[in-house]
Amino acid sequence: MTFQGALDEGGKLCTNRFETTWAPGSDLIVSGWVSDEDEWKKGFNKVVCTVRNADISRTTGKIPTPGSV
């Protein structure tokens, strides 16, 4: 995947793959994170999928094991 492809599609890939197990309700959101282009070119070329609170408040505590919600 190119850097531009990761920017364009990374969030959608994370949502499609993990939203139903990591964030099945409306209180959490799955999103993708990508390094900057210089770091990407140096080899840090992965999309990191993350979970955050939908209201953008600080996430605390343990996220339930996928499938246990």
Side-chain angles (χ1 to χ4, degrees):
M1 178 178 286
T2 65
F3 175 72
Q4 190 59 51
L7 285 178
D8 294 343
E9 301 295 326
K12 188 183 342 177
L13 292 171
C14 289
T15 299
N16 289 346
R17 173 65 176 93
F18 296 111
E19 186 173 58
T20 58
T21 54
W22 288 1
S26 61
D27 57 331
L28 297 173
I29 294 174
V30 173
S31 58
W33 179 87
V34 178
S35 66
D36 66 28
E37 190 168 10
D38 289 336
E39 294 298 318
W40 184 273
K41 289 177 181 177
K42 291 177 184 174
F44 189 68
N45 53 5
K46 305 286 186 251
V47 175
V48 178
C49 299
T50 61
V51 177
R52 65 180 173 90
N53 287 330
D55 65 4
I56 309 176
S57 64
R58 183 181 174 132
T59 305
T60 60
K62 182 179 177 185
I63 295 172
T65 304
S68 68
V69 177

